[in-house]
mmCIF file of all heavy atoms in Angstrom:
data_model
loop_
_atom_site.group_PDB
_atom_site.id
_atom_site.type_symbol
_atom_site.label_atom_id
_atom_site.label_comp_id
_atom_site.label_asym_id
_atom_site.label_seq_id
_atom_site.Cartn_x
_atom_site.Cartn_y
_atom_site.Cartn_z
ATOM 1 N N PRO A 334 22.957 -5.199 5.331
ATOM 2 C CA PRO A 334 22.468 -4.099 6.140
ATOM 3 C C PRO A 334 22.480 -4.439 7.643
ATOM 4 O O PRO A 334 22.491 -3.536 8.452
ATOM 5 C CB PRO A 334 21.011 -3.822 5.680
ATOM 6 C CG PRO A 334 20.671 -5.167 4.988
ATOM 7 C CD PRO A 334 21.880 -5.788 4.435
ATOM 8 N N LEU A 335 22.532 -5.743 7.952
ATOM 9 C CA LEU A 335 22.602 -6.135 9.363
ATOM 10 C C LEU A 335 24.032 -5.822 9.956
ATOM 11 O O LEU A 335 24.183 -5.510 11.113
ATOM 12 C CB LEU A 335 22.289 -7.629 9.515
ATOM 13 C CG LEU A 335 20.818 -7.991 9.261
ATOM 14 C CD1 LEU A 335 20.627 -9.501 9.221
ATOM 15 C CD2 LEU A 335 19.837 -7.309 10.238
ATOM 16 N N VAL A 336 25.036 -5.956 9.078
ATOM 17 C CA VAL A 336 26.379 -5.525 9.483
ATOM 18 C C VAL A 336 26.411 -4.021 9.797
ATOM 19 O O VAL A 336 26.917 -3.556 10.792
ATOM 20 C CB VAL A 336 27.423 -5.805 8.434
ATOM 21 C CG1 VAL A 336 28.773 -5.238 8.760
ATOM 22 C CG2 VAL A 336 27.543 -7.371 8.280
ATOM 23 N N GLU A 337 25.747 -3.236 8.936
ATOM 24 C CA GLU A 337 25.711 -1.796 9.160
ATOM 25 C C GLU A 337 24.943 -1.464 10.383
ATOM 26 O O GLU A 337 25.303 -0.602 11.158
ATOM 27 C CB GLU A 337 25.071 -1.112 7.918
ATOM 28 C CG GLU A 337 25.070 0.409 8.000
ATOM 29 C CD GLU A 337 24.502 1.013 6.751
ATOM 30 O OE1 GLU A 337 24.395 0.323 5.761
ATOM 31 O OE2 GLU A 337 24.236 2.236 6.818
ATOM 32 N N LEU A 338 23.777 -2.101 10.638
ATOM 33 C CA LEU A 338 23.024 -1.892 11.814
ATOM 34 C C LEU A 338 23.812 -2.274 13.129
ATOM 35 O O LEU A 338 23.827 -1.508 14.045
ATOM 36 C CB LEU A 338 21.707 -2.685 11.772
ATOM 37 C CG LEU A 338 20.815 -2.620 13.004
ATOM 38 C CD1 LEU A 338 20.424 -1.240 13.269
ATOM 39 C CD2 LEU A 338 19.545 -3.585 12.803
ATOM 40 N N SER A 339 24.521 -3.350 13.052
ATOM 41 C CA SER A 339 25.337 -3.786 14.198
ATOM 42 C C SER A 339 26.397 -2.738 14.443
ATOM 43 O O SER A 339 26.621 -2.388 15.675
ATOM 44 C CB SER A 339 26.023 -5.091 13.882
ATOM 45 O OG SER A 339 25.117 -6.113 13.625
ATOM 46 N N GLU A 340 27.034 -2.211 13.442
ATOM 47 C CA GLU A 340 28.085 -1.173 13.630
ATOM 48 C C GLU A 340 27.527 0.109 14.234
ATOM 49 O O GLU A 340 28.100 0.792 15.015
ATOM 50 C CB GLU A 340 28.851 -1.011 12.378
ATOM 51 C CG GLU A 340 29.655 -2.217 11.968
ATOM 52 C CD GLU A 340 30.492 -2.039 10.718
ATOM 53 O OE1 GLU A 340 30.042 -1.259 9.887
ATOM 54 O OE2 GLU A 340 31.517 -2.702 10.629
ATOM 55 N N LEU A 341 26.306 0.446 13.813
ATOM 56 C CA LEU A 341 25.675 1.658 14.339
ATOM 57 C C LEU A 341 25.420 1.466 15.828
ATOM 58 O O LEU A 341 25.640 2.333 16.663
ATOM 59 C CB LEU A 341 24.339 1.937 13.590
ATOM 60 C CG LEU A 341 24.412 2.553 12.243
ATOM 61 C CD1 LEU A 341 23.074 2.607 11.572
ATOM 62 C CD2 LEU A 341 25.065 3.937 12.257
ATOM 63 N N LEU A 342 24.955 0.292 16.221
ATOM 64 C CA LEU A 342 24.622 -0.001 17.600
ATOM 65 C C LEU A 342 25.868 0.001 18.466
ATOM 66 O O LEU A 342 25.936 0.616 19.564
ATOM 67 C CB LEU A 342 23.918 -1.365 17.741
ATOM 68 C CG LEU A 342 22.504 -1.366 17.190
ATOM 69 C CD1 LEU A 342 21.966 -2.816 17.099
ATOM 70 C CD2 LEU A 342 21.505 -0.540 18.051
ATOM 71 N N ILE A 343 26.960 -0.587 17.932
ATOM 72 C CA ILE A 343 28.214 -0.621 18.694
ATOM 73 C C ILE A 343 28.814 0.769 18.890
ATOM 74 O O ILE A 343 29.290 1.183 19.884
ATOM 75 C CB ILE A 343 29.235 -1.539 17.964
ATOM 76 C CG1 ILE A 343 28.752 -3.025 18.012
ATOM 77 C CG2 ILE A 343 30.664 -1.441 18.616
ATOM 78 C CD1 ILE A 343 29.553 -3.973 17.153
ATOM 79 N N GLY A 344 28.638 1.551 17.670
ATOM 80 C CA GLY A 344 29.198 2.868 17.805
ATOM 81 C C GLY A 344 28.499 3.798 18.850
ATOM 82 O O GLY A 344 29.060 4.728 19.287
ATOM 83 N N LYS A 345 27.252 3.480 19.144
ATOM 84 C CA LYS A 345 26.497 4.221 20.112
ATOM 85 C C LYS A 345 26.589 3.586 21.541
ATOM 86 O O LYS A 345 25.847 3.985 22.400
ATOM 87 C CB LYS A 345 25.058 4.354 19.678
ATOM 88 C CG LYS A 345 24.859 5.287 18.471
ATOM 89 C CD LYS A 345 25.282 6.726 18.789
ATOM 90 C CE LYS A 345 25.031 7.601 17.619
ATOM 91 N NZ LYS A 345 25.438 9.033 17.895
#
Side-chain angles (χ1 to χ4, degrees):
L335 292 171
V336 170
E337 185 176 348
L338 176 59
S339 298
E340 291 181 331
L341 285 173
L342 290 168
I343 293 170
K345 290 297 182 180

